[in-house]
Amino acid sequence: MTGHGLVAGPFRLRWAICAVLLIVAACARDPVETRYRFTAMGTLVEVTIFDHPPLEAEAAARDVETLFLDLQHRWDPWDDGPLGRLNQALAAGGSVQVDPGLAAIIDRSNDIARASGGAFDPAVGSLVKLWGFDDAANIPDRPPSSMTIRTALEAMQPLPGIWDPSTATVATAPGVAIDLGGFAKGEAVDRAISLLQEHGVANAIVNAGGDLRAIGRRGNRPWRIGVREPRLEGVLAAIEVSGDQSVFTSGDYERFFELEGRRYHHILDPRTGYPSQGLISVTVLADNAATADAACTALMVSGPERWPGVASGLGLDKVMVVEDTGVIQITPAMHGKVRLLREDRPDLQIREIP
Ligand code: ADP
Ligand code: MG
């Protein structure tokens, strides 16, 4: 017995030490969430990193901030960065050759302009400026005159007509200015995620004003994301994402003014020169943020009848739109992903669109 006791003593002690070590290890590895916020591209950007050493996570998030601020300058249509200089050169007349960095993003937005049948078109810059939606801090209180809108519209030329990808040149187009506002945030989010991955981050969300891309998971559960209710305060739907997915929403509530009972907002229909009509919000779930961002803008412009055709042209199957009547149209693939938090409301109409 004594012999046994002598063996059992150190054996038990070893177990006890092991148990303590396991608990300490478990505590030390208790997943932490690092959050980092900054303002860029006219919006609050939040980087959330899960289960990564906090100091490293914060360093990675700071790099994301630097990236966003750099892109904000480079893609500002009216500042002195590459896009601003391109627009100044276009205004002065003559064709303009674009540097490779800017050419790559113009080329991608050109592809989306084509695929969306012109509903998305970054060549709307002069119209956006005419309406005064270029400066989020100074939204006007009335529309420009119909004559100035007509003049700007006549001068506008669709991007695919003036962009030559083989020479990276924008053709002479007096009156045309390029505005990447419907796409830049998405492209920046994609680049931010790549940057985090280079830092070894596997679980994160980069959220730019409610538009986001998520990678990995939040520990043992997916990331939970809310879609804003376009008119009332609060959340319209909840989406769970894991792996690598982007959720973007465009709506008529971001930059707008109201006059005589009508709402004028910042997404312009390149065919009419006026704010798009019929849809008050569009949510797209896609693999990459740039596509999701541009697609939301394109579908807002396409309107309640034409959006499904444009969505399939863009290769999207997860879309939810809210009509100005309150009707929600949703694709089956999207319906499987979201929980509509207003589903209990009897006045709510939800239409599944194949
Ligand atoms: P937000 O940036 O508020 O999320 P969007 O992604 O829909 O909204 O982008 C709207 C911005 O896109 C406008 O502020 C303007 O700069 C630009 N824009 C407006 N209309 C169009 C259009 N038809 N095609 C491409 N860009 C557009
Ligand atoms: Mg957009």
Side-chain angles (χ1 to χ4, degrees), residues 13-350:
L13 185 65
R14 240 178 280 147
W15 264 110
I17 291 169
C18 279
V20 169
L21 285 178
L22 276 174
I23 290 165
V24 169
C27 291
R29 286 196 15 249
D30 198 16
V32 281
E33 189 173 83
T34 306
R35 279 176 194 236
Y36 186 89
R37 293 194 181 104
F38 58 91
T39 304
M41 296 187 174
T43 194
L44 178 72
V45 182
E46 185 177 64
V47 181
T48 308
I49 298 172
F50 198 73
D51 197 10
H52 199 78
L55 286 179
E56 287 174 30
E58 200 180 317
R62 276 187 204 284
D63 276 3
V64 168
E65 179 179 16
T66 307
L67 171 75
F68 260 86
L69 294 176
D70 177 46
L71 295 178
Q72 164 183 294
H73 177 248
R74 283 205 262 153
W75 297 341
D76 187 318
W78 313 114
D79 204 354
D80 60 357
L83 183 60
R85 290 199 306 271
L86 166 64
N87 283 333
Q88 282 161 24
L90 284 174
S95 298
V96 184
Q97 186 155 27
V98 180
D99 76 73
L102 191 59
I105 179 166
I106 292 185
D107 212 33
R108 285 199 63 197
S109 48
N110 185 55
D111 289 344
I112 299 170
R114 275 182 197 282
S116 70
F120 173 86
D121 193 336
V124 292
S126 302
L127 273 165
V128 175
K129 193 155 180 72
L130 175 66
W131 276 89
F133 289 124
D134 53 308
D135 181 3
N138 283 304
I139 298 299
D141 54 10
R142 57 193 54 250
S145 75
S146 54
M147 216 178 66
T148 51
I149 293 173
R150 207 174 325 125
T151 308
L153 197 58
E154 277 164 10
M156 188 191 153
Q157 298 192 47
L159 186 62
I162 52 174
W163 171 243
D164 180 354
S166 61
T167 56
T169 303
V170 183
T172 311
V176 172
I178 292 173
D179 174 347
L180 299 171
F183 182 65
K185 230 168 31 175
E187 182 69 24
V189 168
D190 281 334
R191 294 188 191 193
I193 289 289
S194 300
L195 188 59
L196 291 178
Q197 285 168 330
E198 282 165 26
H199 276 270
V201 171
N203 305 290
I205 291 190
V206 179
N207 182 336
D211 294 328
L212 57 91
R213 178 164 163 186
I215 54 167
R217 293 168 72 78
R218 198 195 175 285
N220 54 11
R221 66 164 175 83
W223 295 104
R224 291 193 187 125
I225 286 146
V227 177
R228 196 194 131 149
E229 154 70 54
R231 284 292 178 272
L232 315 167
E233 282 294 308
V235 178
L236 168 68
I239 308 184
E240 293 199 338
V241 301
S242 58
D244 182 355
Q245 279 172 323
S246 300
V247 185
F248 272 64
T249 299
S250 277
D252 68 355
Y253 49 81
E254 292 280 355
R255 291 186 189 186
F256 70 94
F257 60 88
E258 278 174 328
L259 186 70
E260 290 158 6
R262 213 183 132 186
R263 182 179 290 229
Y264 298 88
H265 63 92
H266 71 324
I267 297 171
L268 302 178
D269 185 337
R271 291 162 307 183
T272 64
Y274 280 80
S276 68
Q277 288 185 10
L279 295 179
I280 62 174
S281 90
V282 173
T283 302
V284 169
L285 211 152
D287 293 346
N288 90 35
T291 307
D293 190 358
C296 288
T297 311
L299 301 185
M300 274 292 287
V301 171
S302 304
E305 278 88 39
R306 295 191 317 133
W307 74 263
V310 175
S312 58
L314 290 167
L316 303 167
D317 68 341
K318 297 181 193 73
V319 182
M320 173 173 73
V321 309
V322 183
E323 293 182 35
D324 55 6
T325 56
V327 170
I328 295 175
Q329 299 184 35
I330 190 165
T331 59
M334 186 67 145
H335 212 173
K337 279 270 179 190
V338 306
R339 196 157 56 86
L340 284 160
L341 301 177
R342 292 161 42 185
E343 208 141 22
D344 53 334
R345 263 177 49 180
D347 58 323
L348 196 75
Q349 280 189 56
I350 299 166

